[in-house]
Amino acid sequence: MRRLPFLFLSLLLIGACSSGPTPEELASLAAEGYYRHLLNGEYEQFMAGKDGLDVMPEDYREQMLAAYKQYMAAQQEVHHGVLDVRVSNAKTDSSLQLTNVFLVLCFGDSTNEEIAVPMVEREGRWRMR
């Protein structure tokens, strides 16, 4: 009888550990990774995380790359650059079939900005919408 609570607790722990990462955790890791590419000036790798990249016209793709470069240059001027990115939260909206990942951009002037990055799963891979 004394083993019953221990057995129950063990089953709970095993069940919790075997469930694997949640969709929110997976989407968060992907979003943070893509934004780390942006912070490092790896614009092509950042763009690789965009949903629909394969059907995007080449001229539009080039315009987006230029816009990302301009954004990072502006942040350097205004905020002394973006130094870090952190995940603050993630919420799935099943009706829209997306997960909003909330990232905090940490700037060189000690300010922070929270942004929402809508993420969708396509063929087992999380992409930015």
Side-chain angles (χ1 to χ4, degrees):
M1 197 60 141
R2 291 183 196 176
R3 292 185 185 184
L4 191 58
F6 178 73
L7 180 60
F8 179 71
L9 182 59
S10 296
L11 288 174
L12 279 176
L13 288 174
I14 290 170
C17 293
S18 64
S19 64
T22 65
E24 290 83 3
E25 291 168 333
L26 293 172
S28 295
L29 284 172
E32 182 181 23
Y34 294 137
Y35 269 80
R36 289 206 180 277
H37 285 303
L38 183 64
L39 268 58
N40 293 328
E42 300 164 346
Y43 303 107
E44 291 285 340
Q45 291 88 338
F46 176 75
M47 282 285 294
K50 296 290 280 178
D51 188 39
L53 183 67
D54 52 340
V55 295
M56 189 180 295
E58 186 62 31
D59 60 334
Y60 182 67
R61 188 174 183 272
E62 292 300 322
Q63 290 173 7
M64 288 185 71
L65 281 172
Y68 293 133
K69 291 176 185 178
Q70 289 173 351
Y71 170 78
M72 293 305 289
Q75 297 315 307
Q76 185 64 40
E77 256 185 59
V78 175
H79 295 291
H80 307 293
V82 184
L83 301 182
D84 197 17
V85 60
R86 295 186 317 255
V87 174
S88 69
N89 200 0
K91 294 188 187 266
T92 298
D93 185 337
S94 54
S95 66
L96 297 175
Q97 297 181 336
L98 65 82
T99 297
N100 283 307
V101 176
F102 298 93
L103 298 176
V104 176
L105 302 179
C106 305
F107 297 101
D109 63 0
S110 300
T111 59
N112 296 316
E113 178 181 356
E114 185 175 57
I115 61 171
V117 182
M119 301 290 289
V120 293
E121 185 180 13
R122 301 272 190 247
E123 299 173 357
R125 189 165 175 202
W126 286 93
R127 304 241 185 216
M128 297 178 288
R129 183 178 267 178

